[in-house]
Amino acid sequence: MVFFKKSVSPSLVAEHEQILSLFKRCDVNKDGKLSKDEVKAGFRMLQSRFPGFRTQRAFKVADKNGDGFISEAELDELVDYVLDCYEGSVAL
């Protein structure tokens, strides 16, 4: 379940869940965490013009423990970054 600090439209919640699902599908080795290559693949699926740049920025924002992976606990930070970057115009 996703908890937001303020009132959020149902469409934004749905978009959050779709992006979350997209990145979970990118975990090709099913180890429960996303490598930089897996995150980059996610940005390619989102049709990012600069997937390498977006991946670098995403890790600065979401990789809170600095281990070089986006864990299950850090996924919401990644999704929030994506939503901030694309502001409701994510190509899913």
Side-chain angles (χ1 to χ4, degrees):
M1 185 63 167
V2 179
F3 296 98
F4 294 96
K5 293 177 184 164
K6 53 187 172 184
S7 179
V8 178
S9 72
S11 65
L12 186 59
V13 172
E15 193 169 26
H16 185 280
E17 291 301 319
Q18 287 178 328
I19 295 167
L20 185 64
S21 176
L22 178 142
F23 278 105
K24 284 183 177 183
R25 288 193 314 266
C26 290
D27 183 13
V28 293
N29 61 356
K30 306 296 183 213
D31 63 355
K33 55 189 178 181
L34 297 171
S35 68
K36 288 185 179 178
D37 286 338
E38 291 168 332
V39 172
K40 191 179 214 180
F43 279 110
R44 285 188 179 122
M45 291 170 70
L46 291 170
Q47 301 175 4
S48 172
R49 291 187 354 201
F50 306 105
F53 172 77
R54 288 285 173 222
T55 299
Q56 287 179 338
R57 295 291 303 142
F59 270 81
K60 287 182 189 231
V61 170
D63 185 15
K64 297 297 185 189
N65 64 3
D67 68 350
F69 293 94
I70 304 294
S71 68
E72 187 84 24
E74 298 166 327
L75 266 175
D76 281 333
E77 293 290 331
L78 173 62
V79 173
D80 289 344
Y81 169 73
V82 171
L83 290 171
D84 286 346
C85 288
Y86 296 99
E87 296 186 31
S89 61
V90 178
L92 295 172

